[in-house]
Amino acid sequence: MLAIPDPHVRGGVELRPLESCDAEALFLAIDANRAYLRRWLPWLDQTRSPSDVRAFIEQNVDARRDDRALQLGICVDGGLRGAIGIHLVDWNNRSTSIGYWLDASLRGQGIMTACCSHVVAHLFDKLDLHRIVIRCAVENHRSRAIPERLGFVQEGVLRDAEWLYDHFVNLATYSRLRTD
């Protein structure tokens, strides 16, 4: 089973694996941020109810059990307010990618940067990975600032790499190596 990072990120901020019982709270956080998140994330239209979120969580529980992926809830002052995912781990090449989102009302407080830094350290130090990738929509400047602050290197831009409801978006691709 994929190792879980230490839950404590900083005062009032914790990470924990998502479980089926989180479906309602996570759906409420998604729904409250739907318009904001829809600008950047392609899965909002398929997330219409707590049962949709529950199915996603259950798929990821299986992926964690099989050492393939891990979805963590971001808890701020005890409330589930976002998520950070360790996507499919390529154990042969010791690499993975991460993705994240956070309640819009919490922007600008360094919460997501702290969570990403925490997860990156875990992936390098505890899972002995060599390479981590973050992809962000080119126009999503707030999201792109996170890998830039954490010392990731922009490798390039993937043109029309993601279908976002009615149009393609370019994705900036960042990577960080254990040796960086």
Side-chain angles (χ1 to χ4, degrees):
M1 191 173 294
L2 206 58
I4 301 168
D6 175 45
H8 179 73
V9 175
R10 69 177 208 199
V13 179
E14 293 191 344
L15 297 176
R16 63 177 176 76
L18 290 171
E19 299 176 6
S20 293
C21 62
D22 294 318
E24 179 76 28
L26 190 60
F27 176 76
L28 291 173
I30 291 167
D31 208 40
N33 288 276
R34 189 169 295 276
Y36 165 70
L37 295 174
R38 196 172 193 281
R39 290 188 60 203
W40 311 116
L41 300 172
W43 44 263
L44 273 292
D45 286 357
Q46 289 77 43
T47 308
R48 297 185 185 111
S49 70
S51 64
D52 295 331
V53 175
R54 187 172 294 105
F56 167 78
I57 291 171
E58 289 171 1
Q59 288 172 348
N60 282 283
V61 167
D62 291 342
R64 178 174 170 243
R65 192 174 302 114
D66 296 338
D67 276 344
R68 293 180 289 131
L70 176 62
Q71 287 290 327
L72 299 165
I74 299 171
C75 298
V76 179
D77 297 327
L80 190 54
R81 305 295 296 276
I84 184 166
I86 299 165
H87 301 148
L88 294 177
V89 177
D90 177 348
W91 290 107
N92 289 331
N93 294 303
R94 295 180 22 225
S95 67
T96 193
S97 64
I98 60 175
Y100 43 82
W101 67 270
L102 186 66
D103 187 299
S105 69
L106 298 172
R107 291 182 295 186
Q109 298 178 35
I111 293 169
M112 189 55 77
T113 300
C115 289
C116 285
S117 178
H118 191 76
V119 168
V120 167
H122 174 75
L123 293 171
F124 286 143
D125 299 341
K126 302 295 187 209
L127 299 185
D128 196 33
L129 294 185
H130 176 71
R131 175 181 162 85
I132 301 168
V133 172
I134 296 176
R135 291 181 190 89
C136 310
V138 168
E139 298 299 319
N140 191 344
H141 302 289
R142 285 182 177 271
S143 188
R144 291 181 64 183
I146 293 167
E148 291 169 0
R149 276 193 292 273
L150 295 178
F152 281 65
V153 173
Q154 183 177 346
E155 293 184 337
V157 173
L158 302 172
R159 298 179 311 135
D160 285 355
E162 186 171 66
W163 179 252
L164 198 57
Y165 307 104
D166 61 356
H167 65 286
F168 283 102
V169 295
N170 297 334
L171 296 179
T173 300
Y174 296 87
S175 71
R176 185 164 153 194
L177 305 179
R178 181 184 182 91
T179 54
D180 286 346

